Amino acid sequence: MSAVADARRSARVFVGSAVAMVTAGLVALMAHQPWLFPSLGPAIMLHLEKPGAPESSPRNTFIGHAVALLAGYGMLAVCGLTAHPSVLDEGVSPVRIVAAAGSLAVTAVVLLLLIASHPPAGATTLIVSLGLLHTPEQLLVAACAVVLVTAVDWVFNRATGQPMPVWAARTEREGTRHG
């Protein structure tokens, strides 16, 4: 890649990242809800840096975060932590370790079985199982934020000439679409 192409790509990723985060941030301001959370960052980076990769596709993004939210909350419930404060307020305990390890393990295996790899989902499940987002309302907002930034990234990628699939990416090995 030439220096000019590198500079264009860097500028596109810079602008696209800012546009997606500002969009989610403005919605958060208007809604007074947590539309910004840490795992949006890596998802946005994947969408913009590797828009054609399977793990960046809307399919894998939506499935990944949905599984992560459900696994994180499921482990909170199994461990009796749904009414507890977050790990930041309560500290680490053996039961919190079980919730975190369990949510990550469940998320990883389910995404593997569904052929829906999306590494940022690993952060999402920990955000939930560590109690940073833990109410059903917060989980719904997080899911909506994932849909929002994926849509923003899709439109931005298409507008800047970067192919991002409507749903699923072609895999190199199979030459077929997932889903």
Side-chain angles (χ1 to χ4, degrees):
M1 205 182 272
S2 72
V4 172
D6 283 344
R8 275 194 202 123
R9 181 174 184 255
S10 297
R12 189 184 67 74
V13 169
F14 177 88
V15 172
S17 297
V19 167
M21 288 308 292
V22 167
T23 302
L26 290 173
V27 173
L29 276 174
M30 292 185 298
H32 304 287
Q33 293 289 328
W35 283 72
L36 292 176
F37 59 97
S39 52
L40 289 179
I44 291 166
M45 290 173 66
L46 269 177
H47 295 158
L48 295 167
E49 292 175 13
K50 299 177 181 185
E55 63 272 13
S56 302
S57 71
R59 174 194 182 272
N60 289 29
T61 301
F62 298 154
I63 291 171
H65 289 281
V67 168
L69 290 166
L70 292 171
Y73 192 78
M75 287 307 297
L76 279 179
V78 165
C79 292
L81 295 169
T82 56
H84 283 243
S86 80
V87 71
L88 297 176
D89 295 325
E90 190 172 65
V92 175
S93 64
V95 72
R96 186 66 76 174
I97 293 169
V98 169
S103 71
L104 186 59
V106 167
T107 299
V109 76
V110 170
L111 294 184
L112 183 65
L113 292 170
L114 295 175
I115 312 170
S117 176
H118 184 70
T124 297
T125 202
L126 291 176
I127 289 165
V128 177
S129 64
L130 295 173
L132 304 173
L133 296 176
H134 64 277
T135 67
E137 295 81 16
Q138 290 171 337
L139 301 185
L140 179 60
V141 167
C144 290
V146 168
V147 171
L148 174 67
V149 299
T150 302
V152 169
D153 291 343
W154 188 88
V155 169
F156 185 84
N157 276 327
R158 291 293 177 111
T160 58
Q162 295 300 307
M164 184 173 175
V166 173
W167 179 242
R170 293 192 185 275
T171 64
E172 290 178 23
R173 182 170 42 112
E174 301 169 44
T176 58
R177 291 193 183 272
H178 285 293

